Amino acid sequence: RILGFFKKIIPERGLYICRAVKDSAKNFIFVFIKSYSFLMFLTFVELTIGFLILGIPFAGWIALGIAIFDILPVLGTGGILLPWAVILCIMGDYGLAIGILILYVVITAIRNTLEPRIVGKQIGLHPLVTLMSLFIGVKLYGLVGLVCLPVGISIFYIMVKPGTIKQLLGKVA
């Protein structure tokens, strides 16, 4: 009913623009999920290889758990690997603790290098703009901001690209 009401009062041109924005947002969310799934898979592979090199039993299962945990914006892999390294130091296993720390540094460096490029390329934004929107979104609104701010910027970018609005309005007229 509510949608029917709005469809009656909004002119056809406005409905067309709303549909275009909705379609852009759907596409963006799909691309965003695809990009982060790839990054999660990459983290899983890096962790598995690192754990196998370090001789950690059940390397694949532990790597899978940490890769899933890596979705959380603030904690990430460091939320597990850093405390693990501290516990290993307390227990006196300095070699494995250093190996875990090196693995964490490598994963973090690769992730910080690739994330803005992969996500930015997929959504059509410059990597620096993508990185800034991800960082600002997380700082302001947490997990919701991580998704919503880049979505908003992407939609804004799509809408202000030269000729987009004119093209949309031209199709309605």
Side-chain angles (χ1 to χ4, degrees), residues 11-22:
E12 185 63 32
R13 186 183 329 195
L15 288 173
Y16 186 79
I17 290 173
C18 287
R19 276 188 227 111
V21 168
K22 181 185 85 169

Side-chain angles (χ1 to χ4, degrees), residues 128-150:
L128 184 58
V129 173
T130 304
L131 183 62
M132 287 173 31
S133 68
L134 293 169
F135 179 75
I136 293 169
V138 165
K139 289 296 180 187
L140 293 177
Y141 303 108
L143 186 58
V144 173
L146 177 73
V147 176
C148 290
L149 189 60

Side-chain angles (χ1 to χ4, degrees), residues 2-3 7 52 59-60 67 73 77 100 108-109 114 127 131 153 160-163:
I2 295 171
L3 287 176
K7 285 181 181 179
L52 289 172
T77 55
I100 296 285
T108 302
L114 292 180
L131 183 62
I153 290 174
V160 300
K161 274 195 310 192

